[in-house]
């Protein structure tokens, strides 16, 4: 199989591995105007992409992609011997409010994913967010007990091997999400 894009051509026989994260739909060129043609082109690219991800060179096949969701990870972590903070995933404003009150407001809240066009950071709970709880029925949200420490550990598990990175805290108490703290 040989593929060509705007920048290069490559032969899939020369590919040693394919690693993916958050697979999305294929982009159809705007020059293809017909609905049926757009659907056909998108389906062809989708089938090729999914075939590659399930193929013998896949580092992260589709099943692994599905298991990369936060609820699945939270369910697996204790079975792997990891301790997770007290966690609630809900779309119920009353349940969320009770969880926040139970933890004295020492909570973070975050999305399970995020829109493709921007990063929605994990945020510390602030009482000014209370009015936003009324919008929870629109989309489930993760609430977790706030765990503070001098570092953020990011761990990726592939098979039985763990790859860990320690992100040392910066001087900014503003960010609970180390990806946004330029002082780390």
């Amino acid at each position: 199989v040989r593929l060509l894009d705007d920048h290069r051509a490559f032969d899939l026989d020369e590919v040693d591995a394919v690693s993916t994260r958050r697979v999305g739909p294929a982009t159809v060129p705007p020059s293809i105007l017909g609905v049926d043609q757009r659907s056909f082109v998108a389906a062809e690219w989708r089938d090729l992409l999914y075939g590659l991800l399930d193929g013998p060179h896949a580092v992260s096949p589709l099943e692994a992609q599905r298991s990369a969701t936060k609820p699945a990870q939270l369910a697996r972590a204790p079975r792997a011997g990891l301790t997770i903070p007290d966690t609630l995933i809900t779309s119920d404003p009353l349940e969320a409010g009770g969880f926040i009150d139970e933890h004295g407001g020492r909570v973070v809240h975050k999305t399970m994913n995020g829109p493709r066009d921007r990063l929605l950071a994990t945020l510390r709970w602030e009482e000014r967010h209370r009015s936003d709880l009324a919008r929870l029925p629109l989309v489930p949200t993760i609430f977790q007990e706030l765990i503070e420490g001098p570092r953020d550990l990011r761990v990726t598990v592939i098979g039985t091997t763990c790859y860990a990175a320690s992100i040392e805290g910066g001087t900014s108490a503003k960010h609970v999400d180390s990806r946004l703290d330029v002082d780390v």
Side-chain angles (χ1 to χ4, degrees):
V1 176
R2 186 165 173 77
L3 295 177
L4 173 69
D5 70 11
D6 293 340
H7 307 289
R8 66 194 177 284
F10 57 96
D11 190 333
L12 292 181
D13 290 337
E14 298 172 9
V15 174
D16 292 324
V18 176
S19 178
T20 61
R21 185 166 186 230
R22 295 189 179 133
V23 176
T27 302
V28 178
S31 60
I32 300 174
L33 301 177
V35 174
D36 291 338
Q37 290 83 7
R38 291 182 69 77
S39 177
F40 170 75
V41 169
E44 291 296 291
W45 280 107
R46 180 198 62 228
D47 287 354
L48 173 65
L49 178 62
Y50 286 2
L52 292 174
L53 298 179
D54 279 336
H57 300 299
V59 172
S60 181
L62 287 179
E63 187 54 41
Q65 280 300 112
R66 286 187 283 274
S67 69
T69 65
K70 289 179 186 171
Q73 292 170 346
L74 289 168
R76 262 191 231 92
R79 294 193 302 259
L82 301 173
T83 303
I84 62 168
D86 193 15
T87 302
L88 172 69
I89 302 174
T90 187
S91 62
D92 182 330
L94 293 176
E95 191 175 29
F99 182 86
I100 293 161
D101 294 341
E102 177 185 332
H103 291 285
R106 295 187 47 75
V107 170
V108 296
H109 51 102
K110 56 188 165 183
T111 62
M112 283 179 270
N113 295 294
R116 290 196 166 284
D117 63 336
R118 66 185 180 281
L119 172 70
L120 295 178
T122 299
L123 298 173
R124 291 177 195 266
W125 175 258
E126 294 179 16
E127 198 54 38
R128 66 184 174 88
H129 297 144
R130 182 118 5 211
S131 62
D132 293 334
L133 292 178
R135 298 187 317 200
L136 268 183
L138 298 174
V139 64
T141 299
I142 300 173
F143 295 87
Q144 284 186 315
E145 160 190 24
L146 174 64
I147 305 294
E148 294 184 282
R151 69 188 51 87
D152 182 7
L153 296 177
R154 297 286 172 152
V155 181
T156 299
V157 180
I158 300 175
T160 58
T161 304
C162 294
Y163 300 91
S166 175
I167 303 168
E168 300 296 321
T171 58
S172 171
K174 177 181 169 187
H175 298 291
V176 69
D177 189 333
S178 61
R179 298 171 298 171
L180 302 178
D181 189 347
V182 297
D183 293 326
V184 297

